Amino acid sequence: MKASFFHFTFSLRLRSSVCLTFIAVTMFARTSALVFSPQCGQVRNMATLKDITIRLKSIKNIQKITKSMKMVAAAKYARAERALKPSRVYGAGALALYEKTDIQVAEEKVNKHLIIGVSSDRGLCGAVHSNVGRAIKSQIALSRPGTEVMVINVGDKLRALLKRTHGKHILLSCKEVGRKPPSFGDASAVATEVLNLGYEYDKASVIFNRFKSVISYKTESKPLFSPETVANAESMSVYDDIDADVLRSYQEFAMVNIIYMAMKESTTAEQSARMTAMDSASKNASEMIDRLTLTFNRTRQAVITKELIEIISGAAALN
Amino acid sequence: MMAARIFRRAIPVVRQARSYADVVSTGPQMSFTFASPTKVFFKEASVKQVDVPTLNGMFGILPAHVPTLQVLRPGVVTIFNDDGSATKYFVSSGSITVNADSSVQLLVEEAATLDDLDIDAAKANLEQAQSEMSGISDEAVRAAAQINLEAHEAIVKALA
């Protein structure tokens, strides 16, 4: 209060309206800061300039990050799509036998069903993982009661999805999927582990996302058969007598091929989904930035107007 | 005489046209697909014959071959095109499927043309594989080393 008296006398001596305004503004700014502090008891307080600035800065950072993630995903997607073309021919060749002979396993005879779910470890790619997880859950739910269904997860995200509700169905989980483009060696490693487990399945399916276009993919299930099923199938009698050993090797190789195809399709679908997800995230972020900037400017002008009103009313009270 | 000429022209002359015999159709053409995980060599192409090295010996596959499934061993695959030329590839392992509709799927893990292989490096690898074989006792490791050795022997034989 002593300081304010000093300012009053000082301003009267100077008799300059500019000085009066400047000093009065600083004084009243200080008092107005005291009166309109954010901690003061209002329930719905209008956000101060500082809050909005902080928020604006963080959203701008997020937009930069999502934009760069989109670029990275676009580059990885282009590479994955180029590698997908020969893999598709390869996969189609591997599946040709089963399609042409149309081997089926009778539903009644299926006591053990193996599901291999192919996805990846990393998130922020839309509904890719949850689609595969949902397909696995529905296959478990639709299976005949009494059938033992076991799941092999390729990708940590699937394990996280299934662990809580279907934990007892998980047989094996694979990690470190999705960091690098999948190679034949990776598919081979997965198939080797599956075979080493020695799980005698009657029917197996590989569930993965098949890439259709940049904006769409479809969750599909491709069947795998055990050597016994193939040996006993009627349509296979056309084929020249085949040793059991040769058939087993052939089936193992077919399993690797189908897993490889699933992994390739899955990565391409995942990268394209991540690209679209990050693109829409950046768009949302820029919308938020626009709205916040407008709010910021409005708030800034409101603060200035308030201060001016106080000055003028203060000056009017003096006169 | 004029009448005879006109009469001769009026009657359609049935003449035996002499030509070569028609090509005997051998049934459906072979739809040949040859691919590795990273590269496609032939996709549903029409070829005359394919020779493949399998665990049960060398197979020569022609169109309308009896359906069969075979597993490959390291060796040379020879493809005889329709125009008579032959292409050779060295393959590591894989499978071949001949279906009833004469489609053939040859899926291999690794394939290379013989030009891509260096015979000196192959011989050096073969010697190394042979020396490794002698020092192994574990069954599984021995089996893997045996496969390694056979593969190198096949490469050297192919390039000889």
Side-chain angles (χ1 to χ4, degrees), chain A residues 86 100 184 239-240 250 253 260, chain B residues 37 67-68 97-99 101 103 109:
Chain A
K100 288 190 201 286
F184 194 75
Y239 289 77
D240 206 10
Y250 185 88
F253 191 59
Y260 173 73
Chain B
T68 183
T97 316
V98 183
N99 300 112
D101 59 0
S103 61
E109 201 171 324

